[in-house]
Amino acid sequence: MTQAEQGKGRLLSFSWLPRVGPVLFVMVRGKKYGMSFFCHRLEERCIKIGNHTSFLCARCTGLVIGVLLAAAFLALNITMPLVALSVFCVPLLIDGFTQLFDLRRSNNPLRFVSGILFAVGIILFLLQG
C-alpha cells in the first residue's frame, strides 16, 4: 500500500510523488486535493509556446517573474504603499480559492498575472513593512 493510499480517509496526509516531490493532501468536502511544496507541473496549466511547454505551471512562472520584479524594485529603491501591496495579493487568493472550491475554472493568463502580482505584493510588503 502506498503512502497516498494510507492517508486516503484523513483530513491531512503527506506523500512523496516521483514527478512532483513532497505533496500535502487535504480533504475538502469529500474531495482530496494535493498541494505540492513545489510546482505541480500539470501540463494543461503550463504555458505553451509553439511546441515547447514550460517547466513550471503558469502561476509558478508568474511567481518567479514576480520575485525577479520585486528584486528589481528593491534594487532601484522603488517603494509602494502597503495598502497597494496588500491589494496585489488579492487576485491570486480569489483565483486560487474559487478554483479550489469549484466555484469557477481559472485560465493560464489569469494564473500568470495573479502570480506576478502576488509575488511582488507579498515580497515588498514583507520587506518594506
Side-chain angles (χ1 to χ4, degrees), residues 39 41-42 45-47 53-61 64:
C39 183
R41 301 182 203 144
L42 294 175
R45 293 186 184 177
C46 291
I47 297 172
T53 302
S54 67
F55 176 71
L56 298 173
C57 72
R59 185 169 288 137
C60 289
T61 302
V64 169

Side-chain angles (χ1 to χ4, degrees), residues 33-46:
Y33 294 95
M35 296 189 306
S36 175
F37 293 102
F38 306 106
C39 183
H40 55 66
R41 301 182 203 144
L42 294 175
E43 190 171 342
E44 67 271 8
R45 293 186 184 177
C46 291

Side-chain angles (χ1 to χ4, degrees), residues 11 19 38 41 44 47 65 73 80 85 94 99 125:
L11 178 62
R19 184 172 172 262
F38 306 106
R41 301 182 203 144
E44 67 271 8
I47 297 172
I65 291 171
F73 289 164
M80 294 183 207
L85 296 173
I94 291 172
Q99 185 176 329
F125 183 90

Side-chain angles (χ1 to χ4, degrees), residues 4-58:
E5 290 168 339
Q6 290 172 353
K8 195 172 185 174
R10 291 186 280 175
L11 178 62
L12 294 174
S13 60
F14 177 80
S15 183
W16 182 274
L17 300 179
R19 184 172 172 262
V20 181
V23 178
L24 173 67
F25 289 98
V26 180
M27 189 71 78
V28 178
R29 296 186 338 202
K31 225 172 164 183
K32 191 174 186 178
Y33 294 95
M35 296 189 306
S36 175
F37 293 102
F38 306 106
C39 183
H40 55 66
R41 301 182 203 144
L42 294 175
E43 190 171 342
E44 67 271 8
R45 293 186 184 177
C46 291
I47 297 172
K48 292 175 181 59
I49 299 174
N51 291 332
H52 176 74
T53 302
S54 67
F55 176 71
L56 298 173
C57 72

